Amino acid sequence: QNILTVCFSVGYSVVALNHVIDFKEKKQEIIKPVSPSELFPSLPIVQGTSKKIKVLTRLTLIVSDPSHCNLLRSTSANIRLYDIIAVFPKTEKLFHIACTTLDVDLVCINVTEKLPFYFRRPPVNMAIDRGIYFELLYTPAIKDSTMRRYTISNAISLMQICKGKNIVISSAAERPLELRGPYDVANLGLLFGLSEGEAKAAVSTNCRAAMLHGETRKSACGVVYTVKKPRKVEEEETAVPACKKAKTQ
Amino acid sequence: RGPAGRAMAAAAFERRVLRRAAEHHYLRVRLELPDGGARPNAAQFKQLVVTALKELHGEVGAALPVDVLTYEEKTLSAILRVISSGFVKLWSALTLLGFYQNRRCAFRVLQTSPFLLALSGNSRELVL
């Protein structure tokens, strides 16, 4: 709860609470997520706007065996209660399966140890087409210097393959001091090799897109957000031919 | 730029765009040390910044010209000045710093700007 309070003071508008399930241990059951209303009776307001902060729930599955993926396909009621589902593949085959067929929103990239497999372009491109985002964590980089090296090296190798698209940077903070502000995290994206616009997107627009992707799983086909568009479209169309005429004359 | 350019030529204005003209970048930072131990003084604070740079960017990073312009020991907040080419390195080094004398700490970067005057007002602290 302390962590959330710090989140709000630092300037985040949406926070997702993560619940990790490791399949190596036997008899893992997916429990119901803690409802955010139990933690906070009334959510504070985002700095600068008048909306309340959203708290979402998220599930991370550490898979090291193809049989673990069956859980995702089963219609367990508890999985539906989570807003975002992430998968953490440990082998190359599982990475391929996660990018191409699994119904998840995020694919976590390991930052605490050297990657046992190299990224290849086909599964990464398929994941980008499907709208799946790759997630990098930055909190291990704060704790330990060896992990810092692994974080940056894994991030750079991912950037080379995916060219900076579909990246989300998140923290796995367990203490309020391990959290960093959104602009600080966007700056870290520059270290990983992203351009400035991509780095900022990694903290803002890509995260929102991943959230919407999670919402599409709840609905049948997709999510449509309507935005009021200013009625300038017709005027622009008539203006364009006039400019063209001016140039030719 | 067609119609806009014609209007400007008629008024005889000249437009100059300066890119990356600022030499230094200024940062207002605050160190968060929750446990009630001894607070660093100005020299120790500078040492901490240089250590952070050294841990992340090595000797070359530690040699970056960083100045602590002001430092308040009570609130542990400071204004740093760094050469513009080293701005990203300094900011990332401060972000990834986790420990001060084996105590957990965190750097919160409050404002950054290429101009020192801009650090005087903070729109986030406005009480609306």
Side-chain angles (χ1 to χ4, degrees):
Chain A
Q1 195 166 352
N2 270 345
I3 304 181
L4 285 178
T5 326
V6 174
C7 275
F8 305 153
S9 70
V10 158
Y12 286 104
S13 57
V14 178
V15 178
L17 301 172
N18 193 9
H19 190 100
V20 179
I21 301 259
D22 194 348
F23 277 109
K24 276 193 226 153
E25 301 157 38
K26 293 184 187 173
K27 284 213 171 177
Q28 281 278 356
E29 285 170 2
I30 300 191
I31 59 176
K32 264 192 185 178
V34 176
S35 156
S37 51
E38 289 168 31
L39 289 177
F40 274 99
S42 73
L43 292 168
I45 300 180
V46 187
Q47 267 180 8
T49 69
S50 55
K51 289 188 245 177
K52 287 197 177 162
I53 294 188
K54 265 186 171 180
V55 179
L56 305 172
T57 49
R58 188 193 123 158
L59 178 69
T60 304
L61 298 166
I62 303 182
V63 284
S64 36
D65 205 62
S67 60
H68 299 158
C69 309
N70 292 336
L71 196 69
L72 275 173
R73 294 189 204 126
S74 72
T75 50
S76 152
N78 282 333
I79 276 205
R80 307 264 157 206
L81 294 172
Y82 286 95
D83 297 313
I84 303 177
I85 296 188
V87 75
F88 190 147
K90 291 271 191 189
T91 65
E92 175 153 21
K93 216 175 172 188
L94 281 168
F95 180 72
H96 189 97
I97 293 176
C99 290
T100 50
T101 50
L102 275 188
D103 188 17
V104 291
D105 304 315
L106 299 172
V107 172
C108 302
I109 304 294
N110 195 1
V111 296
T112 52
E113 50 194 22
K114 192 167 181 326
L115 278 179
F117 54 90
Y118 286 111
F119 294 116
R120 287 185 301 118
R121 227 172 260 264
V124 169
N125 283 340
M126 282 200 66
I128 293 178
D129 289 332
R130 283 181 68 206
I132 294 181
Y133 290 82
F134 296 101
E135 183 192 19
L136 293 167
L137 303 173
Y138 67 80
T139 302
I142 296 177
K143 291 187 195 161
D144 194 25
S145 79
T146 5
M147 296 217 234
R148 237 174 257 179
R149 253 180 279 143
Y150 288 139
T151 312
I152 296 183
S153 69
N154 291 352
I156 291 179
S157 54
L158 177 64
M159 292 313 153
Q160 278 184 332
I161 304 288
C162 76
K163 294 183 202 117
K165 292 192 233 174
N166 284 36
I167 303 278
V168 166
I169 306 182
S170 72
S171 96
E174 292 161 16
R175 287 187 195 79
L177 275 183
E178 288 167 7
L179 207 61
R180 295 288 181 266
Y183 286 102
D184 300 338
V185 177
N187 200 38
L188 281 182
L190 285 175
L191 260 193
F192 294 159
L194 296 172
S195 76
E196 274 198 31
E198 286 167 1
K200 191 155 184 222
V203 183
S204 54
T205 40
N206 287 357
C207 297
R208 186 176 145 86
M211 226 173 74
L212 292 177
H213 193 267
E215 277 190 32
T216 61
R217 238 182 316 104
K218 289 186 182 171
S219 67
C221 36
V223 176
V224 175
Y225 265 73
T226 55
V227 173
K228 251 187 176 174
K229 203 174 173 188
R231 300 277 300 151
K232 278 191 206 162
V233 181
E234 295 170 25
E235 291 151 51
E236 278 176 9
E237 284 179 358
T238 50
V240 165
C243 290
K244 281 189 181 166
K245 280 183 204 166
K247 277 186 190 168
T248 52
Q249 275 170 2
Chain B
R1 255 209 94 217
R6 267 179 256 131
M8 278 201 184
F13 280 121
E14 191 185 306
R15 192 176 128 180
R16 281 192 197 172
V17 178
L18 297 170
R19 288 206 181 122
R20 295 187 196 119
E23 254 183 64
H24 300 285
H25 265 82
Y26 299 87
L27 292 119
R28 184 196 289 270
V29 298
R30 194 182 70 219
L31 178 63
E32 282 197 8
L33 273 179
D35 55 1
R39 286 158 180 252
N41 63 14
Q44 289 169 335
F45 187 81
K46 170 100 190 265
Q47 180 63 29
L48 179 63
V49 170
V50 173
T51 313
L53 276 168
K54 187 169 180 179
E55 276 183 10
L56 191 61
H57 296 289
E59 297 285 352
V60 174
L64 207 54
V66 171
D67 301 310
V68 178
L69 297 178
T70 62
Y71 177 65
E72 286 166 40
E73 193 166 327
K74 223 176 176 188
T75 54
L76 288 176
S77 67
I79 296 189
L80 302 173
R81 177 180 72 179
V82 70
I83 216 150
S84 293
S85 55
F87 177 57
V88 174
K89 285 188 183 168
L90 175 68
W91 196 356
S92 52
L94 290 179
T95 306
L96 288 182
L97 184 72
F99 291 92
Y100 166 63
Q101 285 176 358
N102 291 332
R103 295 146 67 187
R104 282 191 181 269
C105 68
F107 259 103
R108 303 260 178 248
V109 174
L110 303 169
Q111 294 165 281
T112 80
S113 167
F115 309 108
L116 190 51
L117 190 57
L119 293 186
S120 60
N122 191 356
S123 63
R124 288 184 190 169
E125 285 167 13
L126 280 181
V127 177
L128 290 170

